Each structure stands twice: as structure tokens, then as C-alpha cells.
Amino acid sequence: MSRPAAMSGFPEFLPAQRTVELAVIDALTRTFELHGFASVETRAVEPLEQLLSKGETSKEVYVLRRLQADRDGDGGSDAGIGLHFDLTVPFARYVVENAGKLEFPFRRYQVQKVWRGERPQEGRYREFTQADIDIVGRDTLAFHHDVEVARVMAEAMAALPVPRLTLQVNNRRLIQGFYAGLGATDLDAVMRVIDKLDKLPADAVAKMLVAEAGLTDDQASLCLQLAEIRTPDTSFVERVRALGVESSLLDQGLAELAAVVEGCASVSGDRVQVVADLRIARGLDYYTGTVFETLMEGFEGLGSICSGGRYDALATDGRATYPGVGISLGVSRMLVPLLAAGRMTASRSVPSAVLVALVDEESRDRSDDVANRLRARGIPTEVAAAPQKFGKQIRTAERRGIPFVWFPGSTGSGGPGDPGDTEGRADQVKDIRSGDQVDADPDTWTPPTDDLRPQVVVSTLRQAQDDASSTTRNKEQQQ
């Protein structure tokens, strides 16, 4: 069989990298559950008519069809379904279908794979993991939930061992109210053009505001001045007021954005900074109030790794409307570049903290008994695969990162490596890093807390580069 080729856009992890991903997911879910969010999992497929209701995603949906369909006369009955490309569309359907069984406001978190047929590139994958939180109401949803969702995600991200994150917050009512107060007649056109500021210089955007959105030069200038406002506190309010534009919608947006920034002040710090950024708009039709985008320090080229906002019509069943506010963290978008750059790994590639040595095949039951007694106390343990010399068994543990090797004692018929011992000897455990070896009882001995489970190891960019250079040199020397 020829060596299989990697499939672009479908990332796979080595064991140590998978350990990092699981640690990140565990940290996220702990925070979500501390705030009362319940876990749900929706099916991987949805009807195509629902997935294609967003026209801009029509070319990204993976359609499902069974290979056997034409042969068994089924006629391709599965042709009407596709893999979900985000977790919001299936969640909207889930809420409508289960509304009679849910208590509102309903707080959910969801960590799941999604599939999107876009061109693979850094930060863009065809299969990836997302972590979403949403709060949904029936007919109404109090604004304080916007503050809560922002705080919870900021707190969750602050617990992650990743470079510093900046959660940028804005409010659609603020920018729409500002444009309306200016006298703009096509608010969506203004937002579409302003959204190009990340790719085009300000003077080019100013010309487009005049040509495509019908603004005067003065109006375009004020729109650009608004987009330049970015503050870590509520001082943005005074700066917007100083531009001299007035409208009731603008007032509401300013008050709501100020409430979010103030509400997140206690969780904004060294790990995650929450800032008001009046350039952020997100989707043109979907969001109605608060909007979020998040950048990772040193990886700003990825774009936003965590986005979301307020939507006053998540779904409707014809009788009730379900408004909500949510935010989605792209777990794969955040982690894959960090793992590829060597910025994150695990302290070992296996969960085992202890390798129980094997004297010979006849004594495997003895080694298995020690392992079972350690496992019964929550200590991840494995038994050596073969009764090699102890030096080789120790080197096996070393290669896999297992910190301790356990040597079963004897009952008087000879101890490990000492067949002439007739008095018996106690079990011993060896820390292969320090070389320390002591008597131990599998019913009482416990490794240090940091050794019990693999730990996430974070490197600076310089350390990762040095490690990569060292690995290259070692490979060259071996060749």
C-alpha cells in the first residue's frame, strides 16, 4: 500500500497535540458550566433548504449522498441533506423543535465539529471544532444577557494557555444610529464599505462611501472618524458625542456598548483585553445589537478567532420568536497555527504517569495487580509490553514521557533483577528524571499533582524557533 497523502483542510493531531486540544476544551467547558450553561449536541446534518437559506454559504455546504443509492433503487433520498457549516443554524432548529421542553431563557454551550467547503489556508479549514455559548429567550431577552455572554467567554478565554486575546466589542445600533443621524439613506451600503477598512486604505474607503453609499465628503469623513475610535473603557462615549451626530438609536447603542465594556472590566486584564472597537460590524443582516470579534496576539492575520453577537430573531415557529445572544470560539482556528508553530505541546504523549516494569512473563499477574491498584486510586498506569532489561524499559518510559517506573517487589523468591533474593523486598518507584528511587506501596503512593496528568507546555515564539532549529540540527547529525 502506498503512503496516503494528507488531505488539505482536514487537520489531524499527534497524541501530544490532541492532549492540548482536550485540555483547552476541558477548560472552556468548566467555565461554561460554572455559569450554568447546559451542554447540547445537535446532529451533524441539516436539510439543504435550511443550510442554503444563507446564500453566501451555498457553495460551502458538503452534500451527503450514499454511494449505494443508485443501485438499490433509493434514487438518492439523502440528496436533500448536508453537513452543518456552523453551530448556529442547527441550534436555531433545535430551539424551535424543542421549545416546549426547554426553560427560557435557555443557556447552552456546544463543542462540536463543523464542515465547510472553503479554500484551505491558515486559520481556514474544511473540518474544524467550534465552541459556542448562547442565551435564548422566548419573544424577549433582557439586554443584561449580552453583558453576561461577553463576560463568560472572556473569562473562559482568559483561562487558556494561548497568546493574549483581544475581545473587540461594538453595537450595531450605535453605528446604524450614527449613520442615520448623519442623514445616510442606505445604512447597509455604508456598513459594507466601512467593513473594507481592514483591507483598503482609509482614503480609498472614503471615495467608496461617496460613490457606492451616496455620502458627501463630510459625511464620509465622519464615518471614518467613528471607525477609528477604539478604547479599553467607556471613554468612547465622549469621543462619539464630540462628532456632533444625534439620534435615539445612537443613544441606545452607546448605552448598551458602555454597559458591556463596564460589565467586562473585572475580567479584562493581561490574558484577555476587552475593548470597544467601533469599526466592528459583523454580518450585515444577522446581528441586531452587540457584536464581538477577537484577535490573537502575534496571529492577527488569522482574523477573528471568536465572534458573535445579538440576534433578535434567531428563529420563529410562527407563534413565538426566539431572540438570542451568542459567541463562537474557533477552537481549531486558534490551536492549529499554535501547534504547527511549536508554541504549544503536552508534557508527554501518553496519559500514563507510571510504567510498571515487567520482570518476566510468569510475573505479569504481579505487575498487572500493581497497575490495577494504582488505577483504582486514579493514577494512569500501564504495564511494560515485554520483559526486557530494566534499562530498556526505563528508556521506553523516557521516550514516551512517562515520569515514573514501578518495580514490583518480591515475596521471598527473588526480587526485580535479583533472583537470589530470598528475603523478599518492597516495591520501588523511580523518578526517571531525577533518578530518585524509593520504596513505595501501590495503595498509598501518589505522584505529584503536576505529574498525574499531562500538562500543557507553552513556548514563546523565540523558544519555538530555537526548538525547531535544534530538532533540524539533530536530524542532520543523525543522517
Side-chain angles (χ1 to χ4, degrees), residues 208-439:
M208 293 175 67
L209 286 171
V210 174
E212 299 179 16
L215 301 186
T216 65
D217 289 338
D218 289 342
Q219 289 173 327
S221 175
L222 286 170
C223 288
L224 291 175
Q225 291 179 57
L226 179 74
E228 292 172 357
I229 297 175
R230 188 175 189 274
T231 69
D233 50 34
T234 59
S235 60
F236 69 87
V237 176
E238 293 181 2
R239 293 180 60 181
V240 174
R241 296 294 189 198
L243 296 178
V245 176
E246 297 182 357
S247 81
S248 59
L249 190 60
L250 171 63
D251 294 340
Q252 182 183 357
L254 286 169
E256 290 182 351
L257 182 56
V260 173
V261 173
E262 288 179 335
C264 292
S266 63
V267 294
S268 182
D270 293 338
R271 304 293 306 143
V272 173
Q273 183 183 32
V274 180
V275 301
D277 189 326
L278 274 56
R279 180 180 301 190
I280 305 302
R282 299 297 297 156
L284 296 179
D285 303 318
Y286 194 67
Y287 296 105
T288 56
T290 307
V291 286
F292 310 103
E293 286 191 355
T294 307
L295 298 179
M296 183 164 63
E297 188 175 67
F299 293 85
E300 289 83 0
L302 296 175
S304 178
I305 64 163
C306 181
S307 308
R310 174 78 176 225
Y311 32 79
D312 288 321
L314 170 70
T316 180
D317 57 10
R319 298 183 302 275
T321 299
Y322 301 94
V325 58
I327 188 166
S328 174
L329 172 63
V331 176
S332 300
R333 175 176 286 194
M334 175 179 66
L335 287 184
V336 172
L338 292 172
L339 293 170
R343 296 285 295 273
M344 300 176 72
T345 187
S347 57
R348 57 182 186 260
S349 61
V350 296
S352 305
V354 180
L355 175 72
V356 180
L358 185 62
V359 179
D360 50 41
E361 283 298 336
E362 289 70 24
S363 63
R364 183 175 289 278
D365 287 347
R366 168 69 174 136
S367 294
D368 285 341
D369 176 66
V370 170
N372 287 332
R373 289 157 70 183
L374 290 169
R375 293 172 188 139
R377 299 175 46 245
I379 302 171
T381 306
E382 60 182 87
V383 176
Q388 299 171 311
K389 291 181 179 180
F390 285 157
K392 288 188 176 180
Q393 294 187 51
I394 291 172
R395 285 193 290 275
T396 296
E398 194 171 32
R399 286 196 303 271
R400 304 180 70 199
I402 301 174
F404 297 96
V405 175
W406 192 285
F407 300 104
S410 69
T411 58
S413 59
D418 186 9
D421 182 1
T422 58
E423 298 181 358
R425 60 190 296 180
D427 287 17
Q428 292 191 328
V429 65
K430 181 184 186 72
D431 184 333
I432 65 174
R433 299 160 300 184
S434 66
D436 294 339
Q437 184 168 327
V438 297
D439 291 350

Side-chain angles (χ1 to χ4, degrees), residues 10-31:
F10 294 86
E12 292 182 321
F13 294 146
L14 293 171
Q17 297 172 325
R18 173 63 171 161
T19 295
V20 173
E21 183 185 40
L22 290 175
V24 166
I25 291 173
D26 286 346
L28 291 170
T29 58
R30 278 197 302 272
T31 302

Side-chain angles (χ1 to χ4, degrees), residues 11 60 74 76 79 129 131 147 150 183 188 190 207 219 234 244 353 360 369 411 433 435:
E60 299 179 356
D74 190 19
T129 299
V147 181
D188 287 349
V190 177
K207 293 178 181 178
Q219 289 173 327
T234 59
D360 50 41
D369 176 66
T411 58
R433 299 160 300 184

Side-chain angles (χ1 to χ4, degrees), residues 193-215:
V193 174
I194 289 293
D195 195 45
K196 300 180 185 295
L197 277 170
D198 289 335
K199 301 177 181 179
L200 298 175
D203 57 349
V205 172
K207 293 178 181 178
M208 293 175 67
L209 286 171
V210 174
E212 299 179 16
L215 301 186

Side-chain angles (χ1 to χ4, degrees), residues 65-79:
R65 179 177 177 274
R66 292 186 299 118
L67 290 175
Q68 190 68 19
D70 292 336
R71 295 183 183 178
D72 60 18
D74 190 19
S77 61
D78 292 336

